[in-house]
Amino acid sequence: MSLPHRTGARAGRAPSLTGLADERASGALLCDAGTVYLRDGQVVHAESPVAPGIEVLLTTGGRLTADSWREAVGRTGRAGGVGRFLVDSGRLSGAELEICHLGALFDAAYFALGHGSGPRGFQGAAHWLGPVRPVGAVAVERETRRRGKLLAALWPYPQVDTEPVVLRRPDGRAPAVTPRQRAVLALADGVRTPARIAHELGRPAFHTLIDIRRLAAAGHVATPRSARPEHPGRHPGPPAGSAGSAPTAPDRGPGAVVFTDPDIDLLRRLRDALEATP
């Protein structure tokens, strides 16, 4: 039996995601950099101001028109039935909605649960999208850690994740950019941050960070000169209370390597699982 919805945050210390899962809680885990929604102890959605929402991924990404999205919200009044309306009206297939929903969930959860963020409280709330496909809390936390380690392995300077993206002229050893990376570079004007670039492209924020860290490692974008390298086993984000002089960030990575997209296999597994579901 799930805990009753609460109108205010819990008293005492902030709850953990896995603790709420063990209690089969329903509501919203409020974090410094986002919100994670649970129903009966499972994660049903996540949001972060850093990550584009599912509506941005669907409309800016070209799968839905803005008018179709507004109609879905207008018909359901954000009362937990937006996703169901999109499927029932034929605007999206069930598999399309689930894949996009899972992408948005894991993207926002990465920023809400890590990257220097922490839980602040828990309160009763249900997400307006409505039920799609819940995910276990352990799987969400495991994926959050995996993503942090992946970014650190690509280029261990987390400041590039939050600073405006500045172009630089790479040397002759730098690999050619991919079409995805070229779209990122087209918006790198020294003013836009990675989060803003992700919103304008209608792409998940984490995928944009992957592109930017690779571009920084290859020398196509600048790494802040005051950047402190992070240990590959440590979660991204500047260490709290750190002292001492930070080493100067190098101009480019040690080995200009072309990496394969780390999320393709995950998306394929999701697709296969969804297609196999009756």
Side-chain angles (χ1 to χ4, degrees):
M1 179 177 179
S2 63
L3 294 180
H5 284 212
R6 300 170 185 257
T7 56
R10 288 182 169 187
R13 64 183 182 86
S16 68
L17 179 63
T18 51
L20 292 170
D22 290 342
E23 297 174 5
R24 296 182 59 81
S26 296
L29 176 62
L30 309 178
C31 303
D32 296 323
T35 303
V36 180
Y37 294 86
L38 297 97
R39 182 175 182 180
D40 294 333
Q42 291 192 298
V43 178
V44 293
H45 203 64
E47 290 182 337
S48 171
V50 181
I54 189 171
E55 69 277 12
V56 176
L57 299 179
L58 287 170
T59 57
T60 306
R63 184 58 190 84
L64 285 180
T65 66
D67 287 342
S68 295
W69 179 261
R70 283 192 291 267
E71 180 186 7
V73 174
R75 292 283 190 91
T76 60
R78 286 183 173 264
V82 174
R84 188 73 264 161
F85 176 83
L86 291 171
V87 173
D88 290 345
S89 63
R91 286 162 175 77
L92 291 176
S93 69
E96 284 178 312
L97 176 64
E98 290 183 12
I99 289 175
C100 190
H101 164 255
L102 288 172
L105 186 159
F106 282 114
D107 194 39
Y110 169 73
F111 297 99
L113 298 173
H115 208 65
S117 177
R120 294 188 288 105
F122 181 77
Q123 66 181 26
H127 196 268
W128 47 262
L129 184 66
V132 181
R133 178 174 288 270
V135 182
V138 172
V140 173
E141 289 198 333
R142 181 173 60 244
E143 177 62 12
T144 297
R145 291 192 298 270
R146 185 194 73 84
R147 292 184 178 210
K149 292 177 182 178
L150 174 60
L151 287 179
L154 289 176
W155 186 237
Y157 295 89
Q159 288 82 355
V160 300
D161 297 348
T162 55
E163 295 292 320
V165 184
V166 179
L167 290 174
R168 67 182 302 276
R169 187 183 299 276
D171 60 34
R173 295 177 298 164
V177 298
T178 66
R180 281 184 56 87
Q181 293 171 339
R182 194 171 299 117
V184 172
L185 292 176
L187 296 179
D189 56 2
V191 176
R192 292 179 174 93
T193 61
R196 182 174 169 186
I197 289 175
H199 276 79
E200 292 190 22
L201 291 176
R203 295 177 182 175
F206 178 77
H207 293 188
T208 304
L209 294 187
I210 288 287
D211 287 330
I212 288 173
R213 291 233 191 174
R214 288 173 174 167
L215 289 167
H220 291 286
V221 302
T223 298
R225 301 299 297 179
S226 61
R228 178 187 295 273
E230 67 178 336
H231 189 278
R234 185 182 300 152
H235 202 69
S242 59
S245 58
T248 302
D251 288 334
R252 67 186 297 276
V257 180
V258 178
F259 298 90
T260 58
D261 193 325
D263 288 296
I264 290 297
D265 288 340
L266 173 62
L267 291 175
R268 284 175 177 161
R269 291 197 300 272
L270 289 173
R271 180 199 61 193
D272 293 343
L274 292 172
E275 290 178 349
T277 301

